[in-house]
């Protein structure tokens, strides 16, 4: 069962897909058509998408699965407890993954959104696009 994209997922996608990168621009255009297929059961916020490929153009990511965005998360104290990855498959947004590297700091979608906000002064500057 799919449902419309929750605000927390849409907000993180907005923060990690750079409007100045052509591939990210193409992926951003897919966001209004995304539907939530499922979420990871552990509470991290990882979200898997459903998308009608006929309704949008593919981004020029190349074939297969690629990491389209990789943004490290920095807390208010400057620690880096994890990252957010955005995956595309065949040019279409496929899932958003929230990764934790810390046993001391809870890393989930809500924390990622807070740490990625420009007003926090800790917005990740290490964003990079991997793949073609």
């Amino acid at each position: 069962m799919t449902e419309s994209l929750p605000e927390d997922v849409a907000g993180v996608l907005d923060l990690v897909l750079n409007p100045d990168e052509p591939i990210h621009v193409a992926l951003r255009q897919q966001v209004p058509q995304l539907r939530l297929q499922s979420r990871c059961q552990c509470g991290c916020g990882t979200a898997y998408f459903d998308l009608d490929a006929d309704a949008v153009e593919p981004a020029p990511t190349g074939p297969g699965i690629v990491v389209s965005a990789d943004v490290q998360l920095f807390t208010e104290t400057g620690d880096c407890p994890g990252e957010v990855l955005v995956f595309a498959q065949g040019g279409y947004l496929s899932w958003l993954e929230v990764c934790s590297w810390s046993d001391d700091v809870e890393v989930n979608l809500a924390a990622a959104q807070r740490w990625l906000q420009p007003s926090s002064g800790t917005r990740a500057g290490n964003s990079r696009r991997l793949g073609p």
Side-chain angles (χ1 to χ4, degrees):
M1 175 179 211
T2 59
E3 58 185 73
S4 61
L5 202 62
E7 287 184 34
D8 59 345
V9 175
V12 169
L13 284 171
D14 184 55
L15 291 166
V16 300
L17 293 175
N18 186 337
D20 297 326
E21 289 193 34
I23 290 175
H24 287 192
V25 169
L27 292 171
R28 284 171 155 280
Q29 292 173 352
Q30 297 175 11
V31 172
Q33 300 299 321
L34 285 179
R35 298 291 173 255
L36 183 67
Q37 182 179 42
S38 64
R39 285 194 188 224
C40 180
Q41 297 300 309
C42 80
C44 68
T46 293
Y48 301 92
F49 306 130
D50 185 32
L51 177 67
D52 178 1
D54 294 332
V56 294
E57 292 293 320
T61 61
I65 298 172
V66 298
V67 176
S68 298
D70 176 358
V71 181
Q72 293 181 344
L73 300 170
F74 292 92
T75 67
E76 295 79 5
T77 60
D79 293 326
C80 182
E83 67 182 335
V84 172
L85 304 166
V86 177
F87 290 86
Q89 183 170 9
Y92 298 100
L93 286 166
S94 186
W95 79 91
L96 171 109
E97 189 164 331
V98 181
C99 303
S100 176
W101 304 332
S102 174
D103 291 331
D104 301 325
V105 178
E106 184 176 359
V107 179
N108 56 37
L109 197 57
Q113 190 167 16
R114 184 178 71 248
W115 294 327
L116 290 167
Q117 294 294 328
S119 62
S120 72
T122 58
R123 177 142 183 184
N126 293 334
S127 175
R128 60 192 184 278
R129 176 182 55 85
L130 302 177

